């Protein structure tokens, strides 16, 4: 079954007033949304494919049955218990910033909007931890911590349009992950509500060895195993010093090798970014050094002295061995001023078919993987924009973040091309031993590749899902797990 045209969905819509009253008894009438247009606002997240469909008056999924907005963890528990008793499917909703359809309703689920859970509950400087409710906006959270002299080090491009709970639900990564880690490295403890309404707590303590990690079962589960209501995260002092450096490299191979040597020398720049020739040219046209050395890299060193200077000097010495030249800091200043700006919406509004795909690979695989993907994308559509950068860098490898953009054309031509690009890039990732996702998660759009990515592990995840959610009521059909019987097929809509 595929999604409907929006007009047809509106015409066929009915409101379950009895169910709305049941939920309103828990969260209040003002926090139970039943009108069609209010619910339609929750019918998709920022999945580009869904945006392509919507601009042609179509839905990628369906309109949710209701939207409920609990204001406390107790209300979340009551909502889940009511849904369990009535066999109602639920989808937790943060701010809808995901780009893979993790929050798209597929079978008229009820959306559980968590944004009323938006408070910092405690800051513990001695143990370097902060406890926050899951629905708090990311930028407001970071701003409040900065005012106290702290940061979590988790700074995704989507920080202004995402929630703290959403970061954990999709196993996200911020722009400073090379220094502070991804969200799974930052979460110390959490509270969640399991599919039967049972509250569960992972206490925030300094490591443990008490069996498999319950925390890691919840972090990255995208609502399939329960609803996160509270998180305890690591805190760091705001850096006393921060310096950005722009480098021109003679080749991508040189830049990759410099990054590998820097990370394996146990240096940890706060930010490390390498751009391919296409993305470098967009940012360096007026800088003389890039006419000789066309590859742009940026590094940020931060912390306290003398550590910052020592780390910077050591890293730049390693880069110089590979032919790097320090240049004007204009590209760094532009990036810093615009680091939280999402450019996809601009291209989509102009009729382009713009999407991004982030994968990971080991250093030994990245050159071949990148070359194969770039060539394959241009074979599929010679006039495509294909650009890549590497902005999450680790001792063993890096995240390769690609932008693919088709020019305005008929939807019937564009969507098959878009599907081929996704199929080709994800398949080539696996062919080169990489992982199909670094920080955007799985949602629904990556479902086709989960079996090959996880092998027998996918069956294990389904077994756990069946045990704790036998009715398949919590965000069914995501993470490569079994969809509901009546679910629409987003990718073939």
């Amino acid at each position: 079954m595929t999604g409907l045209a929006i007009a047809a969905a509106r015409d066929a819509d009915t409101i379950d007033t009895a169910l709305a009253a049941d939920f309103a008894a828990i969260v209040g009438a003002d926090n139970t949304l039943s009108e069609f247009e209010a619910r339609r606002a929750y019918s998709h997240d920022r999945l580009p494919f869904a945006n392509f469909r919507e601009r042609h008056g179509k839905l990628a999924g369906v309109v949710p049955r209701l939207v409920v907005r609990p204001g406390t963890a107790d209300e979340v528990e009551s909502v889940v218990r009511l849904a369990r008793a009535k066999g109602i499917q639920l989808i937790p909703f943060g701010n809808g910033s995901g780009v893979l359809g993790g929050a798209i309703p597929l079978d008229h689920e009820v959306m559980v909007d968590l944004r009323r859970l938006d408070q910092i509950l405690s800051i513990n400087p001695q143990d370097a931890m902060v406890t926050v409710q899951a629905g708090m906006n990311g930028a407001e959270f970071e701003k409040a911590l900065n005012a106290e002299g702290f940061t979590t080090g988790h700074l995704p491009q989507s920080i202004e349009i995402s929630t703290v709970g959403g970061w954990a639900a999709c196993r996200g990564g911020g722009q400073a992950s090379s220094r502070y880690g991804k969200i799974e490295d930052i979460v110390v403890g959490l509270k969640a509500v399991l599919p039967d309404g049972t509250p569960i707590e992972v206490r925030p303590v300094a490591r443990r060895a008490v069996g498999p990690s319950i925390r890691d079962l919840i972090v990255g589960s995208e609502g399939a195993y329960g609803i996160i209501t509270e998180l305890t995260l690591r805190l760091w002092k705001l850096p006393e010093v921060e310096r950005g450096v722009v480098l021109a490299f003679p080749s991508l191979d040189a830049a990759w090798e410099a990054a590998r040597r820097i990370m394996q020398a146990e240096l940890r720049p706060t930010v490390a970014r390498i751009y391919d020739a296409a993305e470098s040219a967009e940012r360096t046209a007026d800088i003389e050094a890039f006419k000789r050395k066309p590859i742009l890299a940026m590094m940020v060193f931060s912390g306290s002295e003398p550590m910052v200077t020592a780390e910077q000097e050591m890293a730049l010495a390693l880069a110089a061995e590979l032919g790097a030249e320090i240049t004007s800091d204009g590209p760094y200043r532009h990036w810093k001023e615009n680091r939280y700006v999402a450019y996809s919406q601009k291209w989509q509004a102009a009729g382009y078919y713009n999407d991004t795909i982030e994968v990971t690979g080991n250093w030994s695989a990245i050159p071949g993987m990148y070359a194969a993907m770039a060539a394959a994308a241009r074979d599929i559509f010679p006039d495509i924009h294909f650009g890549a950068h590497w902005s999450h860098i680790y001792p063993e490898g890096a995240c390769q973040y690609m932008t693919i953009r088709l020019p305005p054309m008929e939807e019937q031509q564009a969507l098959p091309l878009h599907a081929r690009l996704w199929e080709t890039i994800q398949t080539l990732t696996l062919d080169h031993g990489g992982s199909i996702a670094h920080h955007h998660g799985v949602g629904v759009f990556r479902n086709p590749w989960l079996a090959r990515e996880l092998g027998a592990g996918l069956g294990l995840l389904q077994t756990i899902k069946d045990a704790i959610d036998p009715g398949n009521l919590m965000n069914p059909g995501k993470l490569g797990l079994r969809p509901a019987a009546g679910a629409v097929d987003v990718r073939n809509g």
Side-chain angles (χ1 to χ4, degrees):
M1 182 179 177
T2 59
L4 293 172
I6 294 171
R10 184 183 295 108
D11 292 343
D13 187 63
T14 59
I15 297 174
D16 190 334
T17 55
L19 184 64
D22 288 339
F23 281 114
I26 298 171
V27 302
D30 290 345
N31 294 304
T32 305
L33 308 184
S34 58
E35 293 301 317
F36 179 83
E37 290 302 328
R39 289 182 285 122
R40 188 170 79 83
Y42 292 79
S43 64
H44 71 81
D45 50 19
R46 289 184 175 239
L47 172 70
F49 178 83
N51 293 328
F52 304 156
R53 299 287 284 168
E54 178 140 333
R55 70 189 184 197
H56 291 281
K58 301 169 185 175
L59 293 168
V62 298
V63 175
R65 182 180 305 191
L66 288 170
V67 179
V68 297
R69 302 188 299 196
T72 67
D74 287 344
E75 288 184 358
V76 175
E77 292 174 28
S78 296
V79 164
V80 174
R81 289 191 183 110
L82 175 62
R84 175 76 170 244
K86 290 182 172 292
I88 302 296
Q89 298 155 346
L90 301 176
I91 297 178
F93 186 92
N95 205 38
S97 64
V99 294
L100 286 159
I104 289 181
L106 307 177
D107 192 28
H108 302 287
E109 294 92 339
V110 170
M111 309 299 286
V112 183
D113 184 335
L114 297 163
R115 284 176 288 186
R116 291 178 63 212
L117 280 72
D118 62 354
Q119 300 296 307
I120 292 176
L121 301 178
S122 67
I123 296 176
N124 180 345
Q126 183 173 9
D127 296 332
M129 296 189 297
V130 56
T131 299
V132 59
Q133 292 179 309
M136 189 169 190
N137 174 270
E140 292 300 315
F141 176 54
E142 182 67 14
K143 180 180 177 182
L145 292 180
N146 291 172
E148 300 294 327
F150 298 107
T151 178
T152 64
H154 188 79
L155 306 171
Q157 184 187 56
S158 64
I159 193 169
E160 297 175 344
I161 57 171
S162 59
T163 62
V164 181
W167 299 346
C170 75
R171 210 171 175 89
Q175 295 166 344
S177 65
S178 299
R179 182 177 185 87
Y180 298 111
K182 291 176 69 250
I183 196 66
E184 63 266 27
D185 305 303
I186 299 171
V187 172
V188 185
L190 59 81
K191 292 182 180 179
V193 180
L194 296 177
D196 65 352
T198 300
I200 187 170
E201 179 180 9
V202 177
R203 293 179 296 107
V205 298
R207 305 292 179 178
R208 46 167 53 88
V210 288
S213 171
I214 305 301
R215 179 195 63 181
D216 287 312
L217 195 62
I218 303 296
V219 172
S221 66
E222 302 190 27
Y225 290 165
I227 299 177
I228 298 170
T229 58
E230 182 182 303
L231 290 153
T232 298
L233 308 179
R234 287 196 172 95
L235 275 181
W236 306 90
K237 292 180 181 179
L238 279 174
E240 299 172 8
V241 179
E242 182 173 278
R243 299 194 196 106
V245 180
V246 175
L247 299 169
F249 277 93
S251 66
L252 263 178
D253 285 337
W256 288 327
E257 178 63 12
R260 183 188 71 81
R261 292 185 188 181
I262 288 168
M263 296 306 292
Q264 292 181 3
E266 301 181 33
L267 304 174
R268 292 296 179 269
T270 305
V271 175
R273 301 175 69 87
I274 299 168
Y275 298 84
D276 72 357
E279 294 202 359
S280 292
E282 295 172 352
R283 295 163 170 82
T284 62
D286 300 326
I287 302 175
E288 184 66 27
F290 289 96
K291 295 177 182 178
R292 303 184 303 275
K293 299 178 179 181
I295 299 302
L296 168 66
M298 293 187 286
M299 292 187 184
V300 179
F301 304 92
S302 64
S304 58
E305 293 290 18
M307 182 67 74
V308 174
T309 294
E311 191 168 50
Q312 180 178 341
E313 289 178 351
M314 292 175 68
L316 294 182
L318 289 170
E321 292 175 4
L322 278 302
E325 180 178 335
I326 298 174
T327 77
S328 159
D329 69 350
Y332 165 68
R333 286 186 284 106
H334 181 269
W335 171 80
K336 190 172 182 180
E337 291 166 4
N338 296 277
R339 64 189 300 182
Y340 303 131
V341 175
Y343 293 101
S344 292
Q345 305 304 314
K346 175 189 75 172
W347 290 105
Q348 290 170 14
Y352 288 78
Y353 292 83
N354 193 89
D355 206 344
T356 58
I357 307 175
E358 32 64 69
V359 302
T360 65
N362 293 339
W363 292 120
S364 58
I366 283 174
M369 183 173 76
Y370 167 74
M373 291 175 181
R378 295 182 179 108
D379 283 345
I380 290 170
F381 192 81
D383 293 330
I384 193 173
H385 169 85
F386 177 91
H389 65 266
W390 297 262
S391 55
H392 305 269
I393 293 174
Y394 311 104
E396 62 276 5
C399 166
Q400 180 171 295
Y401 191 105
M402 294 158 282
T403 298
I404 54 174
R405 185 164 59 246
L406 297 168
M409 62 180 72
E410 292 297 320
E411 182 187 36
Q412 295 90 331
Q413 179 187 5
L415 294 188
L417 291 171
H418 180 257
R420 285 181 61 197
L421 288 163
W422 265 90
E423 171 66 34
T424 299
I425 288 171
Q426 297 281 255
T427 298
L428 285 171
T429 301
L430 294 166
D431 289 347
H432 286 82
S435 175
I436 62 171
H438 174 265
H439 59 271
H440 286 168
V442 176
V444 69
F445 215 68
R446 279 187 162 123
N447 279 352
W449 303 284
L450 259 290
R452 187 175 171 198
E453 167 81 23
L454 298 178
L458 181 59
L460 176 60
L461 294 182
Q462 185 66 64
T463 297
I464 296 169
K465 172 74 167 171
D466 292 342
I468 65 173
D469 185 15
N472 199 20
L473 300 180
M474 295 298 298
N475 207 7
K478 312 297 170 54
L479 286 181
L481 302 174
R482 186 181 303 114
V488 301
D489 184 348
V490 168
R491 290 179 56 84
N492 294 311

